Amino acid sequence: MKLGPAIPISPPELFWRLLSSGFGLAIALCSIGAFSVIDLAHPQAAHAYTSRSTLLVPRNPGERYDTFLRQSEAIAQAQIQLSFITDPLISEVIVTVAGDNQGIAIPTMEIQVTRAEWQERPDPRYWARYYSNASVLLDL
């Protein structure tokens, strides 16, 4: 038996011809099922991560340093709480608070806390590390 010349078929046309036959449909259903079983057997792992942020708190004229620190702690507390609430994959938060005095930013504290620590004790003063020279540099 002699075959005639090969007629070129585009890939989309070949796909539809195979799909319209029983054989193509069976292959398509089996491959979809195989991928689904593979996905169920090996789900993508979620990875916890550390959230880092820097907050810039402006210094108000005539403000005492302890007042400035309490305001900074309240802002940092809100940031930490928001981070843990909005993203369940965050396992740790590091917040650096910088004071702004006429355009010059000086780090005043850093708070590093894990989710478990924060749930046990949500007090930024407990977890904060304060920079002792910040009040002099901020001219407070």
Side-chain angles (χ1 to χ4, degrees):
M1 181 170 149
K2 188 173 182 181
L3 296 176
I7 301 172
I9 299 175
S10 68
E13 184 180 347
L14 180 61
F15 172 78
W16 288 111
R17 281 188 185 184
L18 284 175
L19 193 58
S20 65
S21 72
F23 179 71
L25 185 59
I27 289 176
L29 289 175
C30 287
S31 64
I32 290 171
F35 286 121
S36 298
V37 170
I38 290 171
D39 289 343
L40 290 174
H42 301 287
Q44 293 292 327
H47 298 286
Y49 67 96
T50 299
S51 169
R52 299 175 190 272
S53 58
T54 301
L55 305 174
L56 190 61
V57 180
R59 173 192 176 246
N60 296 320
E63 182 176 43
R64 292 178 16 163
Y65 188 64
D66 63 332
T67 305
F68 171 79
L69 277 182
R70 297 301 85 78
Q71 177 189 9
S72 298
E73 290 163 351
I75 293 169
Q77 182 176 16
Q79 175 65 33
I80 294 167
Q81 191 68 35
L82 183 65
S83 296
F84 284 135
I85 288 172
T86 57
D87 191 343
L89 294 180
I90 292 177
S91 61
E92 180 180 42
V93 173
I94 300 172
V95 174
T96 303
V97 178
D100 178 22
N101 186 13
Q102 299 175 1
I104 298 173
I106 306 295
T108 56
M109 76 176 83
E110 182 176 84
I111 302 170
Q112 182 172 356
V113 64
T114 66
R115 181 182 293 274
E117 291 169 339
W118 189 255
Q119 288 173 341
E120 185 179 314
R121 190 166 187 172
D123 181 4
R125 288 183 278 179
Y126 185 78
W127 306 108
R129 184 178 74 209
Y130 297 91
Y131 298 110
S132 58
N133 293 332
S135 65
V136 174
L137 296 171
L138 281 172
D139 194 25
L140 289 174

